[in-house]
């Protein structure tokens, strides 16, 4: 008799996260922060002594989102910080790979995102208007990453991610830090936002 393939992952916290049916009780911010701090964006094809992690990207997106929507609720800033949180389990797939994998990837991402949101007091699905603003911040972050550390010209980055408003990026620069430092920064920012809810 064939056994079912394992569809869960053991987390460092000791939690066992079922990828087919994730529940909020199996999600811990420490696991998310740790995983995201060690997941490289751009498949690791970036300049510098450290990979540019999804955790660092998420911190930047949350900052950009706050600039795009300065009067928004703290809960939506938390949603911006957590926008790529499912990647602590499924990794960061570049867009061409997501396209090749097909709709199954999106369904898995949605299940994990819903459980993560509920765990931290957010609605399972973020309202469309907020989601669009987070996506805008995400694209600005991608443009910054592309031009500062991934070898894209501004013209090429603008073709893929749109030309961002320079004022939104004023004073911001891509940061490359050791994973343990980024993990701490992500955990700290999460705590600040949760404490302000």
């Amino acid at each position: 008799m064939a056994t079912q393939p394992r569809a869960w992952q053991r987390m460092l916290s000791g939690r066992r996260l079922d990828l087919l049916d994730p529940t909020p009780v199996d999600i811990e911010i420490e696991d998310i922060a740790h995983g995201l701090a060690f997941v490289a964006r751009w498949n690791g094809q970036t300049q510098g002594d450290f990979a540019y992690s999804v955790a660092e990207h998420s911190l930047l997106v949350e900052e950009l989102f706050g600039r795009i929507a300065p009067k928004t609720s703290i809960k939506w800033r938390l949603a911006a910080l957590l926008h790529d949180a499912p990647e602590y389990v499924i990794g960061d797939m570049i867009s061409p790979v997501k396209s090749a994998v097909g709709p199954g990837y999106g369904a898995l991402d949605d299940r994990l995102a819903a459980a993560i949101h509920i765990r931290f007091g957010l609605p399972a699905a973020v309202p469309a208007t907020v989601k669009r603003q987070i996506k805008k911040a995400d694209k600005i972050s991608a443009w910054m990453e592309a031009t500062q550390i991934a070898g894209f010209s501004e013209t090429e980055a603008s073709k893929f991610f749109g030309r961002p408003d320079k004022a939104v990026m004023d004073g911001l620069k891509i940061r490359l830090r050791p994973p343990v430092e980024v993990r701490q920064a992500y955990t700290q920012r999460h705590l600040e936002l949760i404490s302000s809810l």
Side-chain angles (χ1 to χ4, degrees):
M1 182 162 107
T3 60
Q4 284 286 84
R6 180 171 65 93
W8 56 268
Q9 181 175 349
R10 177 76 61 200
M11 299 294 154
L12 288 177
S13 65
R15 300 282 189 194
R16 189 171 112 163
L17 184 65
D18 183 341
L19 299 179
L20 299 177
D21 187 24
T23 62
V25 296
D26 291 323
I27 293 165
E28 298 293 343
I29 193 59
E30 293 79 11
D31 292 331
I32 293 172
H34 181 82
L36 296 183
F38 283 90
V39 172
R41 280 183 52 84
W42 303 92
N43 279 347
Q45 299 300 305
T46 53
Q47 301 161 358
D49 294 333
F50 300 102
Y52 185 71
S53 72
V54 175
E56 195 76 80
H57 162 78
S58 297
L59 288 162
L60 179 57
V61 168
E62 189 261 328
E63 172 71 25
L64 289 164
F65 174 73
R67 290 176 177 209
I68 291 166
K71 295 185 185 332
T72 195
S73 165
I74 290 292
K75 71 180 176 181
W76 303 136
R77 289 202 63 160
L78 178 60
L81 181 69
L82 295 170
H83 81 283
D84 278 341
E87 294 179 9
Y88 87 107
V89 179
I90 57 180
D92 180 40
M93 284 193 208
I94 59 174
S95 296
V97 175
K98 288 178 185 174
S99 296
V101 170
Y105 176 87
L108 174 59
D109 187 79
D110 290 345
R111 280 195 304 272
L112 286 165
I116 290 164
H117 287 166
I118 292 167
R119 168 66 175 87
F120 299 114
L122 299 171
V126 174
T129 54
V130 174
K131 198 168 189 171
R132 278 194 297 275
Q133 291 172 318
I134 293 171
K135 189 65 181 169
K136 182 177 179 181
D138 194 30
K139 284 189 170 194
I140 295 169
S141 177
W143 189 92
M144 291 175 65
E145 295 161 25
T147 58
Q148 292 181 31
I149 59 172
F152 285 58
S153 69
E154 288 192 7
T155 302
E156 186 179 25
S158 296
K159 178 181 167 189
F160 291 108
F161 309 112
R163 183 165 297 283
D165 177 356
K166 299 271 187 179
V168 175
M169 301 181 294
D170 187 45
L172 297 178
K173 187 160 175 49
I174 297 298
R175 300 177 68 188
L176 297 171
R177 298 185 279 180
V180 291
E181 191 177 322
V182 181
R183 178 181 65 198
Q184 176 59 37
Y186 187 94
T187 305
Q188 181 60 39
R189 185 60 184 147
H190 180 267
L191 178 62
E192 289 166 4
L193 292 169
I194 285 284
S195 299
S196 299
L197 285 177

